[in-house]
Amino acid sequence: MKIRCVLLLVTAGICAFGQESKDEIIQKLISRVEALEREVAALKQPTAPVVVPPAPAQSTEQLAAAPVELPPAEQPEPSRFTFRGFGDVGFLRNVDGLSTKRFALGEVDLFATVRISPKVTALLETVLETDNQVFTSQVPINVERALLQYRANDYFNLDLGSYRTALGYYSMAYLRGSWFQTAVSRPRMFAFEDDGGILPLHNVGVSANGRIPSGALGLHYVAEVGSSRNYAQPARIGTDLAQNRALNVAVFAQPRSVRGLQFGFSSYHDQFSPAPGYRFERSIWTVHAVYQAHRLEFLNEAVLENATHPTLGHIGIPGFYSQAAYRVGSNWNPYLRFDYANVYGKYLLIDSLKQYLPWRTIFTGGIRYDLSESVAFKVEVGRETNRFQPPWIKAAAQVAFTF
């Protein structure tokens, strides 16, 4: 509008010129104004995007050869070595049926791994069993696991060395390190061999494991061959498969439809000696169903151990435990557990066997309080029955930690 006003003023100012000269000037002015209007309209339009021509395609060989620079957050871990430690200290009262009160330093579990190659790892787990010490200078040192591990893929993995036997759930999930487990004590069925346990929780040999293609069912397998700990035989030849062979197969499922659910079974066979000079053919079957999700922990396992001797007869040891815990808030975790075991069969030395497995039922209750992500405080009370003494009440308090 302003430009057209200027044009009118200019037109009025040239009225004195001739008609032909006036028309020429007006035409030139109009053309100039139109040109200016087009420039103003062009300036008001958004800037057109710059089109970059695509880069030429690269072959797979060129892409593989080109160096890849990762951002700092995605750079690979420089260290190949991992070390963790676990320990506990507590107070025990009447835990063995005797009127005892004592503080006890528990186990010190040292766990280390080193990556040898992308698919090969070495693992070493050593336990200082300070809870069984007699003198400070005589703390037992136990090599729990010493493994060379090969990880091919999700369907085949191989462990060579001293491994934890895949018997049920508890022995795989909580072999060592009291900090991991909810309760102070272990289910008595899964007590360690040197603590009077009836199950061979440790083997030396080869263990293969992996997934079974099964879709949403989530099946896994474990197949093991080795030599078990024949702790009741003083002069055991630990690596002689002919005298102490051990075979084990386990299958378990982790369904995708129910997060936290796992159920499965295992079948174990070896040669077992409950006393020097006696060797039995032993079979152990286990089944388990556990659920750990939505603040709830519900563990259930059953065991049936059978042993047969050509002249002495046969024995059977059934047992089970059930443990329930529920997390209250973010720190409190109360729990209850019931353990049961029995001995039956036709065996000339049945009384000696009952000495080997004296307990029958154990009721346990307690609470765990997580002081931090690395420290937990636990209090536990239980009632135990025994074949050779009246029932008794036991109690324990423990501080378990990891570093």
Side-chain angles (χ1 to χ4, degrees), residues 13 25 27 44 53 111 141 150 154 156 234 249 284 300 330 336 342 349 356-357 388:
I25 294 173
Q27 188 63 37
K44 292 181 179 181
F111 176 87
I141 300 177
Y150 174 71
D154 291 341
F156 180 74
V249 176
I284 302 173
N300 304 273
S330 58
L336 293 171
N342 199 1
L349 304 177
Y356 169 71
L357 183 68
F388 305 105

Side-chain angles (χ1 to χ4, degrees), residues 4 26 52 58 77 84 97 123 146 150 155-156 162 181 217 244 271 276 296 328 334-335 344 385:
R4 294 186 180 276
I26 292 173
V52 180
Q58 291 181 299
E77 192 71 25
R84 294 293 301 273
L123 181 152
Y150 174 71
Y155 304 98
F156 180 74
S162 176
Q181 62 189 28
L217 187 56
N244 197 39
Q271 290 189 339
L296 176 64
V328 180
Y335 60 89
Y344 69 90
T385 61

Side-chain angles (χ1 to χ4, degrees), residues 175-369:
L175 183 62
R176 291 290 185 177
S178 179
W179 179 81
F180 287 107
Q181 62 189 28
T182 302
V184 174
S185 59
R186 300 171 61 85
R188 186 62 63 87
M189 291 295 300
F190 289 92
F192 300 122
E193 296 96 326
D194 50 3
D195 290 335
I198 65 172
L199 300 179
L201 302 183
H202 302 80
N203 268 3
V204 178
V206 181
S207 176
N209 63 86
R211 293 183 179 179
I212 301 175
S214 54
L217 187 56
L219 289 177
H220 295 70
Y221 74 91
V222 181
E224 301 170 330
V225 55
S227 298
S228 62
R229 290 182 175 179
N230 217 351
Y231 50 88
Q233 181 180 351
R236 179 174 79 86
I237 303 175
T239 57
D240 190 345
L241 295 177
Q243 293 187 11
N244 197 39
R245 61 185 181 275
L247 300 173
N248 184 47
V249 176
V251 177
F252 62 91
Q254 295 174 332
R256 297 178 188 172
S257 57
V258 185
R259 185 177 64 87
L261 175 65
Q262 177 177 315
F263 57 90
F265 72 93
S266 66
S267 177
Y268 176 92
H269 306 271
D270 73 348
Q271 290 189 339
F272 163 69
S273 177
Y278 297 94
R279 184 172 293 114
F280 285 73
E281 295 292 334
R282 178 171 62 173
S283 300
I284 302 173
W285 289 270
T286 71
V287 293
H288 71 274
V290 304
Y291 179 79
Q292 292 177 305
H294 304 291
R295 298 177 175 266
L296 176 64
E297 176 186 72
F298 191 36
L299 312 180
N300 304 273
E301 297 193 69
V303 178
L304 177 59
E305 180 174 352
N306 289 326
T308 303
H309 191 274
T311 59
L312 296 179
H314 66 275
I315 56 174
I317 304 176
F320 74 91
Y321 81 89
S322 182
Q323 176 176 309
Y326 186 79
R327 179 173 289 274
V328 180
S330 58
N331 300 91
W332 299 93
N333 205 347
Y335 60 89
L336 293 171
R337 186 175 69 226
F338 174 70
D339 295 75
Y340 169 82
N342 199 1
V343 178
Y344 69 90
K346 183 180 179 181
Y347 179 44
L348 297 180
L349 304 177
I350 191 69
D351 292 335
S352 300
L353 185 63
K354 290 181 179 179
Q355 292 282 350
Y356 169 71
L357 183 68
W359 66 277
R360 300 190 65 174
T361 60
I362 305 175
F363 294 89
T364 306
I367 189 168
R368 169 179 174 145
Y369 179 76

